[in-house]
Amino acid sequence: MRDNPPYRDAALRVISRYGIFNGREKYLMELQGGSPYKDMLRHFFPKLRRIEVIVRYEEDKTEVE
């Protein structure tokens, strides 16, 4: 059910029709009384905000006098 929620087609229409800076989030919040947006906020958006960072470094072993 999570891969194909009942609001999927309507949300995809909003996403394809409106850009991020042209009110996409507002339209998603208004869709079907905001229920789909709240569901996406809980289940989908956290995965999109995830970040992984790998830091590689070498220690400088030279002595300072």
Side-chain angles (χ1 to χ4, degrees), residues 2-65:
R2 184 66 37 219
D3 292 336
N4 196 10
Y7 56 81
R8 179 182 183 266
D9 291 336
L12 288 175
R13 268 193 304 280
V14 169
I15 290 168
S16 67
R17 186 173 293 159
Y18 301 100
I20 294 171
F21 301 110
N22 296 325
R24 176 187 293 170
E25 194 166 11
K26 174 184 169 279
Y27 288 110
L28 286 172
M29 287 178 179
E30 293 173 350
L31 185 67
Q32 299 175 10
S35 178
Y37 182 81
K38 291 174 188 169
D39 186 62
M40 289 186 281
L41 194 61
R42 277 191 301 274
H43 297 102
F44 294 113
F45 294 165
K47 293 176 184 177
L48 298 175
R49 291 185 184 124
R50 183 173 172 226
I51 184 170
E52 287 186 35
V53 177
I54 297 174
V55 177
R56 295 181 183 184
Y57 66 94
E58 294 181 17
E59 290 187 44
D60 186 5
K61 303 271 185 183
T62 59
E63 291 185 29
V64 178
E65 292 184 26

